[in-house]
Amino acid sequence: MDTGDTAWVLASAALVLFMTPGLALFYGGMVRAKSVLNMMMMSFGALALISVLWVLYGYSMAFGDDIGGGLLGNPLELAGLSPLLGTSGLDGGFQPESLVFTVPSMAFVAFQAMFAVLTVALISGAIADRARFGPWMVFAGVWATLVYFPVAHWVFAFDGAESETGGWIANDLLAIDFAGGTAVHINAGAAGLALALVLGKRRGFGRDPMRPHNLPLVMIGAGILWFGWFGFNAGSALAANGQAAEVFVTTLVATGAATLGWLLIEKLRDGHATSLGAASGVVAGLVAITPACSSVTPVGAVLVGFVAGIVCALAVGLKYRLGYDDSLDVVGVHLVGGIWGTLAVGLLASASTTAGVDGLLYGGGVDQLWRQAVGAGVVLGYSFVLTLGIGFVIHKAMRFRVAEEDEVTGIDSVVHAETGYDLDSLGGGSGRGSATLGTQAHAMPQDPAGTNEARGMTVTTEGSRA
């Protein structure tokens, strides 16, 4: 065990944990005021539930010894994590029972738990404004069990790390996914698309403006995500070493380039560079560099990020052309950005990096590119098909979507018996039966988007995409 590596992995786990509240703020600010608490609760619900399932059997399914063709780890081998507990040595010092490389297995458990939580939480953005909380929690547990835990085994379980035999993408296909472009972003993006199709469009989609109600929350959330993502990517080195430093730099510069790319598209297309565009560009860059951060040079990372900003800015409009209601652009940012970042490894990887592989543009031919494409395609298809089935069954059995009148009134007040903003108390009201931003907006038929124009919120057509 190396204490420096262990400290870095534990710190990185804490950084990735912070990303889920950051995502809650990011998503919460993008929805209408009457849905902000429900949106944030879906992230916090995922944090609570997946943490428990990960300890009970999820980690074992992902990192236990393979029980069939690289598809699944043994769910009973490490169930409850008791086999990984340490012992006290003769000198009174703690001795870890098992290691993953140079860190205790329990540190690796904590780190990977945060990936599982965040992946599930990401899906919620595709069904904002219309999902009941109870069925969402059932979906989160079932989806993590049937989709995320097996896919994590495919991508992250390397032979000889925690288990003797691991997953097929990591060990047989040899696709490079350093921190989760396939397992996290393509996986969540495909699931978001499937679930959006199952639940259907929001009332007024494509007709009524559905503006973000609190752009400062969006910016704060994006900043937290950028901050936490250094744990997400650099922490995946599982050591305080040169690779972690290399990944830190590529993550930084790709994200900056993506933000510039997104803002450039907005300026050229709409005449304005918006705060929502900046926040979205940040996330697009982080998504795209995640699989490629160990395999591209810093200059290559600039290209990965800049292209991601442009492509994802254009992709968010697909929902209007194709007619699916992905509320907060999980498809346009995470699915499209994840696919680009995964394929970029096959194009822009350089053997001068710690990954040690040359892509097509560095003379490596198509060998790595086809591996990346197969990994991305299989994860996309698996996640999409299974999510369609899971979502359909839950929707029929439990009525996943809120009733239309409840959607109009606002999920926060109907489902959670709370509202995000008590305006009467701010103005000196008694608080009893006080009006809220969500319910006030609903009472104004001239403002069907659920926002009060008198508050001075103006957003460009593309900026109001949420």
Side-chain angles (χ1 to χ4, degrees):
M1 185 184 76
D2 184 280
T3 55
D5 293 346
T6 302
W8 171 235
V9 170
L10 290 173
S12 296
L15 286 170
V16 182
L17 170 63
F18 195 34
M19 290 171 64
T20 298
L23 181 71
L25 290 170
F26 181 74
Y27 278 173
M30 289 176 69
V31 298
R32 291 171 285 181
K34 59 185 179 181
S35 305
V36 56
L37 295 179
N38 176 260
M39 191 72 259
M40 299 180 79
M41 277 289 287
M42 286 198 278
S43 288
F44 277 82
L47 177 55
L49 176 63
I50 305 307
S51 297
V52 174
L53 298 184
W54 187 250
V55 168
L56 294 180
Y57 61 84
Y59 181 77
S60 190
M61 289 180 66
F63 293 100
D65 279 330
D66 185 75
I67 57 174
L71 297 177
L72 187 67
N74 186 342
L76 300 179
E77 179 185 357
L78 304 173
L81 305 182
S82 293
L84 304 180
L85 296 177
T87 59
S88 296
L90 296 177
D91 60 354
F94 177 81
Q95 302 296 323
E97 190 70 24
S98 63
L99 296 174
V100 176
F101 303 117
T102 61
V103 303
S105 290
M106 291 297 277
F108 185 66
V109 167
F111 182 65
Q112 284 291 336
M114 307 313 170
F115 281 64
V117 168
L118 185 69
T119 306
V120 174
L122 286 172
I123 302 169
S124 64
I127 55 172
D129 290 327
R130 60 198 189 277
R132 295 173 61 230
F133 184 68
W136 160 254
M137 292 294 286
V138 174
F139 169 83
V142 174
W143 188 86
T145 301
L146 298 182
V147 181
Y148 181 77
F149 297 159
V151 172
H153 180 74
W154 302 354
V155 175
F156 294 141
F158 288 91
D159 290 348
E162 180 70 275
S163 56
E164 293 183 11
T165 54
W168 70 276
I169 289 180
N171 301 289
D172 300 323
L173 183 63
L174 301 179
I176 295 174
D177 184 0
F178 189 74
T182 54
V184 177
H185 299 292
I186 293 176
N187 201 3
L193 175 59
L195 207 56
L197 294 176
V198 170
L199 266 65
K201 303 172 186 177
R202 289 168 290 178
R203 181 179 180 273
F205 172 75
R207 182 185 71 246
D208 301 336
M210 297 179 180
R211 299 181 180 88
H213 89 281
N214 194 324
L215 288 172
L217 278 188
V218 176
M219 298 289 282
I220 292 169
I224 292 173
L225 287 171
W226 196 345
F227 174 70
W229 222 288
F230 291 111
F232 196 86
N233 283 3
S236 293
L238 297 180
N241 59 14
Q243 185 178 60
E246 175 185 302
V247 167
F248 196 109
V249 172
T250 55
T251 299
L252 172 67
V253 71
T255 308
T259 306
L260 296 176
W262 192 300
L263 292 177
L264 177 63
I265 291 296
E266 281 195 330
K267 181 64 176 177
L268 294 175
R269 182 186 56 200
D270 308 321
H272 303 282
T274 68
S275 60
L276 180 61
S280 301
V282 165
V283 177
L286 291 167
V287 169
I289 197 60
T290 290
C293 54
S294 70
S295 56
V296 298
T297 66
V299 173
V302 171
L303 184 56
V304 170
F306 191 69
V307 171
I310 293 173
V311 170
C312 292
L314 297 173
V316 296
L318 289 176
K319 63 185 180 185
Y320 299 110
R321 295 183 180 90
L322 301 180
Y324 63 90
D325 186 6
D326 169 23
S327 307
L328 306 185
D329 301 308
V330 177
V331 175
V333 175
H334 293 275
L335 180 57
V336 173
I339 291 172
W340 159 241
T342 300
L343 296 180
V345 174
L347 296 171
L348 297 170
S350 169
S352 64
T353 65
T354 52
V357 173
D358 278 327
L360 177 63
L361 300 182
Y362 281 78
V366 298
D367 182 65
Q368 193 61 44
L369 182 59
W370 77 261
R371 298 175 190 276
Q372 301 300 120
V374 169
V378 171
V379 171
L380 192 162
Y382 179 80
S383 179
F384 182 79
V385 172
L386 260 70
T387 305
L388 273 179
I390 296 168
F392 180 79
V393 170
I394 293 176
H395 187 47
K396 292 299 182 182
M398 302 180 64
R399 192 169 57 84
F400 206 149
R401 180 169 178 156
V402 297
E404 182 174 328
E405 60 270 23
D406 294 339
E407 183 180 343
V408 173
T409 301
I411 300 178
D412 289 354
S413 58
V414 173
V415 174
H416 301 288
E418 297 175 304
T419 50
Y421 304 95
D422 188 341
L423 300 183
D424 274 5
S425 64
L426 292 175
S430 65
R432 172 180 284 180
S434 59
T436 64
L437 183 56
T439 54
Q440 277 188 341
H442 169 54
M444 299 173 61
Q446 72 274 21
D447 186 22
T451 58
N452 189 341
E453 293 292 351
R455 298 184 180 279
M457 176 177 287
T458 57
V459 188
T460 63
T461 301
E462 188 61 35
S464 63
R465 68 180 191 277

